[in-house]
Amino acid sequence: MGVLDMSLKGKTALVTGSTSGIGLGIARALAAEGADIALNGFGEAAQIEALRAAIEAEFGVHAVYVAADLGVPVQIAAMVPQAEAALGKVDILVNNAGIQFVAPIEDFPDEQWDKVIAVNLSGVFHGMKAAIPGMRARGWGRIINIASAHGLVASPQKVAYVAAKHGVVGMTKVAAIELAGSGATCNAICPGWVLTPLVEKQLEARAAETGQGIEAVKQSFLAEKQPLREFSTPAQIGAAAVFLCSEGARTITGISLSVDGGWVIQ
Ligand code: NAD
C-alpha cells in the first residue's frame, strides 16, 4: 500500500451509531474506500435496511447490520462477535454512538447522567475490550473514538457529555499505549458543530427558549464557538476517519484530531 493510498479494500469496519448523522457519514466514507461495513444504531427496520442496501449498491462492498444498545455492556460484548461472524473480522472499530442531555448540574436528572455515561463513556470501553483481541491476533487494527470538542474544553449545561468525552480522550491514550507494537492504533476525532439530529434538537430548544428563528440560532451557535462560521459535515468527519485508517497514519496514535472550525484553538 502506498503512503498516500486510502484504499481500505479487504478491510472491515464496525461503526456504532451509524444509522444517522456522523456515524452514517463515517460508514459511507469507509465503504467508499472499499471497506466492508457493519452498521449499528437505532431506527426503523425498513429505514436501516435501506441505508444498508444503499451502501452495498453505491460502493460495491458487503454491508450488514448488527443490533445492540450501546448502553448495555452484554449487548456490546455480543455485537462485536456478531460483526466478526458476518464480516469475517473487525479490522476497524469506530465508537461513535452518542447522546446528549442539557441541564445545569443542580437540575441534571440522575438517570440522564447514568444514561449519557453508559453510552458515551462505558460504551467505548466495552467496544474496545471486545474488539482488541481480534486486532492483536491479526496484527492490524484501527480504533477511532468519536469524542468531541467537548472532550477538550467545556460548555455549561453539558456535565455528563463533557465528562464522558474528556474520558474518551483519556481512554484513547491508554488504548494507544497498550496497543503499541501490536499493529493497531487508537485515535479520537473531536468534531465541533455538525448538523445532525443531535444538534438539531439543541437548535430547536434554543429557538423555543429565545423566540429566534432556526437560521438565527444556527448563526449564534457558530458565532459562540467556531471562528470558521460553518458546520462540518458527516462526510468531512468520515474523511478524517479514512485518513486515520490509512497506511500514512500508521504511526499516529493516541491523538485527538479536531475537526471543529477552530473551536478549541481560542
Ligand atoms: P445522531 O443523533 O445523528 O446519531 C447518533 C447515532 O447513535 C444514531 O445512529 C443512534 O441510533 C445511535 N445511538 C444512540 N444511542 C444509542 C445506543 N444506546 N445504542 C446504539 N446506538 C445508539 O448524532 P451525531 O451528531 O451523529 O453524533 C454521533 C457522535 O458524534 C456522538 O458520539 C456525538 O457525541 C458526537 N459528536 C457530535 C457532534 C455534532 O455536532 N453533531 C459534535 C461532536 C461530537
Side-chain angles (χ1 to χ4, degrees):
M1 202 196 271
V3 86
L4 290 177
D5 191 349
M6 297 291 160
S7 172
L8 296 172
K9 232 175 162 29
K11 303 293 189 204
T12 67
L14 166 58
V15 186
T16 70
S18 48
T19 53
S20 168
I22 292 173
L24 182 59
I26 293 171
R28 290 177 56 82
L30 297 174
E33 299 305 329
D36 291 332
I37 301 295
L39 295 172
N40 155 267
F42 297 145
E44 302 263 323
Q47 270 171 357
I48 294 172
E49 173 51 24
L51 296 174
R52 190 202 63 76
I55 288 174
E56 287 201 335
E58 282 177 54
F59 306 114
V61 299
H62 183 37
V64 300
Y65 170 75
V66 288
D69 181 338
L70 270 285
V72 182
V74 291
Q75 294 191 23
I76 304 172
M79 169 189 70
V80 172
Q82 200 190 331
E84 286 170 338
L87 299 177
K89 55 186 179 156
V90 171
D91 294 314
I92 299 163
L93 171 67
V94 183
N95 289 303
N96 165 81
I99 52 175
Q100 178 61 285
F101 191 87
V102 180
I105 293 172
E106 64 271 32
D107 300 331
F108 209 93
D110 293 352
E111 60 277 14
Q112 291 298 339
W113 167 269
D114 289 344
K115 221 171 137 181
V116 172
I117 295 297
V119 177
N120 294 18
L121 182 65
S122 302
V124 177
F125 160 72
H126 291 290
M128 295 201 296
K129 185 174 178 177
I132 282 173
M135 294 179 181
R136 280 196 193 281
R138 286 184 300 277
W140 197 91
R142 293 287 186 271
I143 299 172
I144 298 174
N145 296 327
I146 304 308
S148 168
H150 285 121
L152 303 170
V153 296
S155 294
Q157 307 210 342
K158 294 184 175 176
V159 65
Y161 189 88
V162 170
K165 296 299 189 182
H166 275 67
V168 169
V169 167
M171 214 187 305
T172 300
K173 296 176 187 174
V174 174
I177 295 167
E178 289 188 6
L179 288 168
S182 71
T185 64
C186 179
N187 292 291
I189 296 177
C190 293
W193 292 125
V194 183
L195 261 188
T196 68
L198 182 139
V199 167
E200 278 154 11
K201 268 187 232 152
Q202 296 173 59
L203 291 170
E204 283 156 19
R206 175 81 69 87
E209 199 180 291
T210 61
Q212 285 177 300
I214 288 286
E215 272 315 309
V217 176
K218 275 186 192 168
Q219 291 315 313
S220 71
F221 268 44
L222 291 169
E224 278 166 28
K225 301 291 189 187
Q226 299 198 176
L228 261 62
R229 294 196 182 190
E230 59 180 285
F231 291 90
S232 301
T233 63
Q236 287 160 348
I237 309 301
V242 165
F243 169 65
L244 289 173
C245 290
S246 73
E247 185 59 17
R250 74 174 279 121
T251 56
I252 296 179
T253 198
I255 69 156
S256 297
L257 177 56
S258 290
V259 184
D260 70 355
W263 184 321
V264 305
I265 57 174
Q266 300 173 94

